[in-house]
Amino acid sequence: MSYIERIGVTSYRFADLKTLMAKASPLRSGDQLAGVAAASEEERVAAKIALSNVPLRTFLNEALVPYESDEVTRLIVDEHACEAFSPVAHLTVGEFRNWILSDTTTTKDLERVTDGLTPEMVAAVSKLMRNQDLIVAARKRPVVTRFRNTIGLPARMSVRLQPNHPTDDVKGIAASMLDGLMYGCGDAVIGINPASDSLSAITALLVMIDDFRERFQVPTQSCVLTHVTNTISAIEKGAPVDLVFQSIAGTQQANSSFGISLALLAEANEAALSLKRGTVGQNVMYFETGQGSALSANAHFGVDQQTCEARAYAVARRFAPLLVNTVVGFIGPEYLYDGKQITRAGLEDHFCGKLLGVPMGCDICYTNHAEADQDDMDNLLTLLSVAGTNFVIGVPGADDVMLNYQSTSFHDALYVRSVLGLRRAPEFEAWLEAMNVIDEQGALLSSTGRQPLLESAQGWGGVR
């Protein structure tokens, strides 16, 4: 089915829904690279107007990626809940936007329709929204998950402590990890990107983190962000695995380029669940995504990169993860050119994930060859924190010395907590207070107050 919209004396024709969605997307370099972006702002406006008049039901009948050849499409279609969809089934995309933003639409209303929404529906409505719309709508839709603590509660924000090291040196990782804990970070996860994928190196890191967690009874979870098959092997060999990590994308072919399938993710999920290591919940998966991943694998099928990204959240939703992280500026300026595009993408991803019931966090980041700087990261950190992001990343000095990109720091988390009054996960916050790291209001104590934990950690992990 084609779509036509007239602006002035010019008529714009969009061959199908996939084309219409792409042309309605805000400008980004990835869609230009793929050849699917609008040729002008006027064409983009025409596409938005046409898209606003598309009934939501259309997305159930017109697959952007063929059902027969794509297991992600099959997952989206086969698990669609008609009853949950019924409250909004009569709406167009534009009317759906108004319904979401209405003061009379509550959190419970948004929760009720979650299983009736497809990624394509939420991607479509996001294209009609300003940044402030994405913020206010996402803020209305908290998603709470649990393992050893509770993440995603309103007025709280967690931090992934990311103590990476270019050679996986245990002493260096331990020092960065202790540094982060002293700043009150680590309630989302203590998560290491290993330089090596050898099973022995991965196991050594898992054992090191678990030793510290057990020694000091820290109510958090650990993860070594290696390929899912490595984590399955580690589980089989008895390693102390809390969360299973995997990068995911929005098409079967893109996921195949990562060496994964839905069946493999299901196997990993079951393996982690069998360990029963959670204390307050059993959300055991940790997924990372990012706009441009399908395009970089030449597996986007002409679908715009933001819609492909939203489809990845259907994969995530299937496995009830503890954390989902859009690594928003990591792939590079070929996909998100500058700070403006990175900011918009981060807000889109967070909104789409939350509306689909996914516990969204964000690695607010950029590569050194992007037209972006740390001021852009400050802006996006502030906007996402207002929007209710579940977690952000904490890297020493905001500079990841192993992955060689710029993110957010332990100090940045302190800034946004101070400005917005955001607390940590309640169980983790209580532990920090008991260890004299923070006071009862959540503020850091002086270095003197934190000294007992530092002294008791002497010698652990080789730290001096």
Side-chain angles (χ1 to χ4, degrees):
M1 175 182 175
S2 64
Y3 302 85
I4 300 174
E5 190 64 40
R6 185 181 181 89
I7 294 184
V9 298
T10 305
S11 291
Y12 292 93
R13 181 179 179 276
F14 308 99
D16 50 28
L17 186 58
K18 175 169 60 178
T19 302
L20 180 63
M21 292 273 281
K23 302 291 187 183
S25 293
L27 178 65
R28 63 207 56 200
S29 52
D31 289 340
Q32 291 177 312
L33 179 65
V36 301
S40 67
E41 286 302 318
E42 186 173 276
E43 184 182 24
R44 184 169 289 109
V45 170
K48 288 178 184 288
I49 294 170
L51 181 60
S52 71
N53 293 315
V54 173
L56 287 181
R57 288 188 180 278
T58 303
F59 293 94
L60 301 177
N61 302 316
E62 190 172 343
L64 305 191
V65 182
Y67 179 95
E68 296 76 16
S69 59
D70 188 273
E71 68 174 1
V72 177
T73 299
R74 292 195 292 274
L75 172 69
I76 292 166
V77 173
D78 295 349
E79 297 205 351
H80 180 257
C82 293
E83 185 176 346
F85 181 56
S86 60
V88 295
H90 60 291
L91 301 178
T92 64
V93 176
E95 291 167 341
F96 184 43
R97 172 192 176 275
N98 295 340
W99 180 81
I100 292 169
L101 295 174
S102 171
D103 289 339
T104 61
T105 300
T106 65
T107 296
K108 288 194 177 297
D109 293 327
L110 294 175
E111 290 172 347
R112 288 190 192 100
V113 301
T114 295
D115 292 339
L117 302 179
T118 70
E120 292 83 357
M121 291 176 192
V122 299
V125 76
S126 76
K127 299 176 192 300
L128 306 183
M129 290 183 166
R130 294 170 57 186
N131 286 2
Q132 66 175 246
D133 298 334
L134 298 172
I135 291 168
V136 71
R139 187 177 176 87
K140 288 204 299 188
R141 182 56 174 98
V143 179
V144 179
T145 56
R146 297 174 174 86
F147 189 74
R148 287 199 189 92
N149 56 32
T150 305
I151 299 171
L153 293 169
R156 293 182 183 267
M157 184 192 73
S158 297
V159 176
R160 171 191 161 188
L161 203 172
Q162 184 169 302
N164 295 343
H165 191 279
T167 63
D168 288 339
D169 180 75
V170 173
K171 292 182 181 180
I173 290 171
S176 294
M177 181 174 144
L178 190 58
D179 185 32
L181 289 168
M182 290 301 97
Y183 282 101
C185 296
D187 49 343
V189 63
I190 299 173
I192 302 168
N193 297 90
S196 167
D197 273 336
S198 76
L199 191 56
S200 60
I202 291 163
T203 302
L205 294 175
L206 287 168
V207 169
M208 181 269 289
I209 303 174
D210 203 57
D211 174 63
F212 182 90
R213 186 191 62 77
E214 288 282 359
R215 179 173 175 177
F216 294 100
Q217 293 297 294
V218 191
T220 191
Q221 36 283 330
S222 65
C223 185
V224 174
L225 282 68
T226 185
H227 192 270
V228 63
T229 53
N230 292 331
T231 306
I232 291 173
S233 296
I235 290 173
E236 291 172 346
K237 292 185 178 299
V241 172
D242 288 343
L243 305 184
V244 175
F245 166 81
Q246 183 55 50
S247 294
I248 57 173
T251 69
Q252 178 177 338
Q253 186 174 322
N255 282 326
S256 294
S257 75
F258 291 150
I260 62 167
S261 64
L262 296 180
L264 180 59
L265 294 178
E267 178 186 347
N269 186 52
E270 289 301 316
L273 286 171
S274 71
L275 300 179
K276 296 182 171 58
R277 289 175 59 85
T279 55
V280 297
Q282 292 296 329
N283 298 114
V284 297
M285 301 298 283
Y286 175 14
F287 295 120
E288 285 192 347
T289 67
Q291 287 195 29
S293 58
L295 175 57
S296 67
N298 195 28
H300 61 103
F301 300 97
V303 178
D304 68 271
Q305 69 179 37
Q306 188 251 332
T307 301
C308 282
E309 170 72 4
R311 284 169 54 93
Y313 306 150
V315 176
R317 180 169 64 175
R318 170 65 180 80
F319 299 103
L322 181 76
L323 309 165
V324 176
N325 181 31
T326 170
V327 192
V328 69
F330 184 75
I331 303 181
E334 300 85 357
Y335 305 94
L336 295 169
Y337 178 71
D338 56 15
K340 181 180 177 65
Q341 292 188 13
I342 291 170
T343 296
R344 174 68 190 191
L347 294 174
E348 288 171 345
D349 295 350
H350 180 249
F351 161 80
C352 289
K354 286 294 184 66
L355 214 60
L356 290 167
V358 172
M360 288 302 298
C362 185
D363 189 345
I364 301 162
C365 63
Y366 63 102
T367 57
N368 288 311
H369 61 310
E371 289 293 321
D373 58 28
Q374 214 62 34
D375 286 338
D376 295 309
M377 301 305 100
D378 287 350
N379 293 342
L380 182 52
L381 171 63
T382 305
L383 294 173
L384 281 170
S385 299
V386 172
T389 187
N390 280 29
F391 68 99
V392 296
I393 304 300
V395 177
D399 183 1
D400 193 299
V401 296
M402 195 279 280
L403 294 173
N404 294 309
Y405 78 116
Q406 309 304 308
S407 185
T408 48
S409 71
F410 307 143
H411 300 79
D412 295 332
L414 291 180
Y415 143 72
V416 82
R417 292 193 193 287
S418 173
V419 170
L420 299 176
L422 297 173
R423 307 294 289 256
R424 300 164 180 87
E427 301 87 348
F428 189 77
E429 187 172 73
W431 177 80
L432 290 173
E433 189 175 345
M435 300 301 290
N436 293 315
V437 175
I438 62 172
D439 63 21
E440 59 184 14
Q441 280 75 45
L444 282 187
L445 292 172
S446 66
S447 58
T448 303
R450 290 177 278 166
Q451 196 64 31
L453 179 56
L454 285 169
E455 290 177 352
S456 62
Q458 293 294 311
W460 166 79
V463 175
R464 295 289 185 269

